[in-house]
Amino acid sequence: MKLSTKGRYGLRAMLDLAMHSEDENVSINSISERQNISENYLEQLIAKLKKAELVNSTRGAQGGYSLAKPMEEISVGDILRALEGDLNPVDCALINGNSQCSDMDCCVTKSVWKKISDSINDVVDKITLRELCNDSKELEAKNIKTNSGCKL
Amino acid sequence: MKLSTKGRYGLRAMLDLAMHSEDENVSINSISERQNISENYLEQLIAKLKKAELVNSTRGAQGGYSLAKPMEEISVGDILRALEGDLNPVDCALINGNSQCSDMDCCVTKSVWKKISDSINDVVDKITLRELCNDSKELEAKNIKTNSGCKL
DNA sequence: TTAAATCCTAGTAATCTAGTGGGAATAGGG
DNA sequence: CCCTATTCCCACTAGATTACTAGGATTTAA
C-alpha cells in the first residue's frame, strides 16, 4: 500500500516546475539537479504527465517544460493518477466506476475498498498545486531550504 | 498504490472466521475451501493476525482459530495493518508518528502524504468486523451467495 | 552548423509478491 | 498408546514489478 517513486518524484517534479516555469521553460536537467532525481528516469515520469496534459513541452535548444494549466487547476490527484494509475486500493469494476460488476451484490469487502478509494481521491483532489506552491514559497521566505536530500 | 492479496485475502478470512467461529474453532482448511484461498498461504496470513492478537488458536485435533476479541472491537484497520504493515502511502518518520524527523520543515509534499495517510486510517478504523458481519448476514438472508469466486 | 534540448525504445539488477513444499509439534478420540 | 487432525515453522521459487540505465533519433534557437 505504498506510493511508488513515480508518484513521489513526480509530485516533487511538478512542484519544482510550478516554482520555476513562470517565466521560462524548465529543462529536465535542471529539475533533475534541484530535486536529485535521475535525469533519464525523470524523463519517463514527465512523459506521463505530458500524456495526461498536465505539462507542455518545447523541443530543441532553450526548450523544456511548463505547466499546461494554471496551478489552481491542477490537483495533486491529477498528478498522482497520471503517474500511478488509479488510486484505488484494489482493481475492481465496481470501484472503477463500472456499475456492471457481476459481483456487485456479493462482496461485502468491496464496500470497504470503495470507502478507502473515495477517501483517498477526495483528499488528493482537494489539494491544488497552487497550495503546495504557496507552502513552498512560505518556507523559502523563512530561509528554510526545501527538500534537502529528502526523497519523499 | 494497491493493497496486496495479504490484505484482501486476510480481510475475507477474518470475516469468514467471524461468521463461523461463534460456536466452534474454525480450521484453516475450511476457510481455505469456502474462500478459495490456498491453504498454505492462508496459514501465513493467519499467523500475522495471530501475532497481532486478533485471533486465538488451538492446536491439535478439533483445533482451529477463533476471534481473540468481540467483533465490535476489531476494526478493518486493525486487520489491514496487521497484514500489510502501516497503511501510509510513503515511509516517513513524520508520518509514522516520529516527530523527530529531520526533514520535518522542508518537505512540502509530506503534508500531502500525511493527509492521505490520515484519511485512509480514519476510514478503516471506523469500520468494525461486526458491521461487515451484519452486512454479510443480510445478504445471506436474501439468499445471495456471498463471495462467489470473487477474489476481492 | 552546432549544441541543447525533448522524444523514444530497449534492457536489466534487485526487490517483492504470491505462492509451494515439507516436516515438527500438539492434542482429542478410540 | 496410537492415529489423525490440526497448528506451527521455515525454506524455497517463478513471475512480476520497480527503479532505474543506455543510447540513439529528432527538433530547434542561436
Side-chain angles (χ1 to χ4, degrees):
Chain A
M1 197 59 180
K2 294 279 178 248
L3 234 40
S4 70
T5 53
K6 287 195 201 87
R8 302 202 321 262
Y9 292 3
L11 183 56
R12 283 205 286 134
M14 280 295 275
L15 182 53
D16 188 292
L17 198 55
M19 297 284 285
H20 297 93
S21 69
E22 278 175 300
D23 4 79
E24 48 182 2
N25 285 329
V26 177
S27 70
I28 288 223
N29 180 274
S30 71
I31 300 177
S32 153
E33 278 181 7
R34 277 189 299 266
Q35 298 297 325
N36 199 34
I37 299 170
S38 141
E39 211 172 319
N40 281 321
Y41 191 43
L42 193 53
E43 199 182 292
Q44 291 169 42
L45 304 186
I46 294 191
K48 282 174 186 264
L49 293 167
K50 203 197 161 184
K51 212 170 178 182
E53 299 183 347
L54 297 175
V55 304
N56 286 327
S57 67
T58 316
R59 299 183 71 168
Q62 267 60 53
Y65 298 91
S66 59
L67 296 181
K69 302 187 240 180
M71 287 186 229
E72 30 282 307
E73 289 173 31
I74 299 178
S75 75
V76 170
D78 295 332
I79 298 167
L80 294 182
R81 279 186 297 265
L83 293 159
E84 299 269 341
D86 67 71
L87 299 174
N88 306 334
V90 299
D91 287 318
C92 159
L94 174 62
I95 291 167
N96 288 325
N98 178 354
S99 55
Q100 301 304 312
C101 171
S102 62
D103 293 308
M104 197 162 153
D105 298 315
C106 71
C107 291
V108 173
T109 52
K110 277 194 184 172
S111 67
V112 174
W113 313 140
K114 178 130 178 61
K115 281 178 191 167
I116 295 175
S117 181
D118 288 347
S119 84
I120 294 173
N121 283 289
D122 274 3
V123 167
V124 295
D125 283 339
K126 276 188 193 134
I127 310 171
T128 67
L129 203 48
R130 165 65 71 193
E131 292 170 58
L132 296 185
C133 206
N134 289 346
D135 291 351
S136 207
K137 278 178 182 159
E138 219 169 285
L139 290 181
E140 273 188 354
K142 286 185 196 161
N143 259 337
I144 295 170
K145 195 171 163 240
T146 52
N147 280 104
S148 51
C150 177
K151 290 227 167 186
L152 304 178
Chain B
M1 198 58 180
K2 295 279 178 246
L3 233 41
S4 70
T5 54
K6 287 195 202 87
R8 302 203 321 264
Y9 292 2
L11 183 57
R12 282 206 287 134
M14 279 295 275
L15 182 53
D16 188 293
L17 199 54
M19 296 285 282
H20 295 93
S21 68
E22 278 174 299
D23 3 78
E24 49 182 1
N25 285 327
V26 178
S27 71
I28 290 225
N29 180 274
S30 71
I31 299 178
S32 153
E33 278 181 5
R34 276 190 300 266
Q35 299 296 325
N36 200 32
I37 300 170
S38 141
E39 213 172 315
N40 281 322
Y41 192 42
L42 193 52
E43 200 180 291
Q44 292 169 43
L45 304 185
I46 293 191
K48 281 175 186 266
L49 294 167
K50 203 197 160 183
K51 210 170 179 182
E53 298 182 350
L54 297 176
V55 303
N56 287 327
S57 67
T58 315
R59 299 182 72 168
Q62 267 62 54
Y65 297 91
S66 59
L67 296 181
K69 300 189 241 179
M71 287 186 229
E72 30 282 307
E73 289 173 29
I74 300 178
S75 75
V76 169
D78 295 331
I79 298 167
L80 293 182
R81 280 186 297 266
L83 294 158
E84 298 270 341
D86 67 73
L87 300 174
N88 306 333
V90 299
D91 287 318
C92 159
L94 174 62
I95 290 166
N96 288 325
N98 178 355
S99 55
Q100 300 304 314
C101 172
S102 62
D103 292 309
M104 197 161 152
D105 298 317
C106 70
C107 292
V108 173
T109 52
K110 277 194 184 171
S111 67
V112 174
W113 313 141
K114 177 131 178 62
K115 280 178 191 166
I116 295 175
S117 181
D118 287 347
S119 85
I120 294 173
N121 282 289
D122 273 4
V123 167
V124 294
D125 284 338
K126 276 188 194 133
I127 309 171
T128 66
L129 202 48
R130 165 65 71 193
E131 292 170 59
L132 295 185
C133 205
N134 288 347
D135 290 351
S136 206
K137 279 178 183 160
E138 219 171 284
L139 290 181
E140 273 187 355
K142 286 186 197 160
N143 257 337
I144 295 169
K145 196 173 162 240
T146 52
N147 280 105
S148 52
C150 177
K151 291 228 169 186
L152 305 178

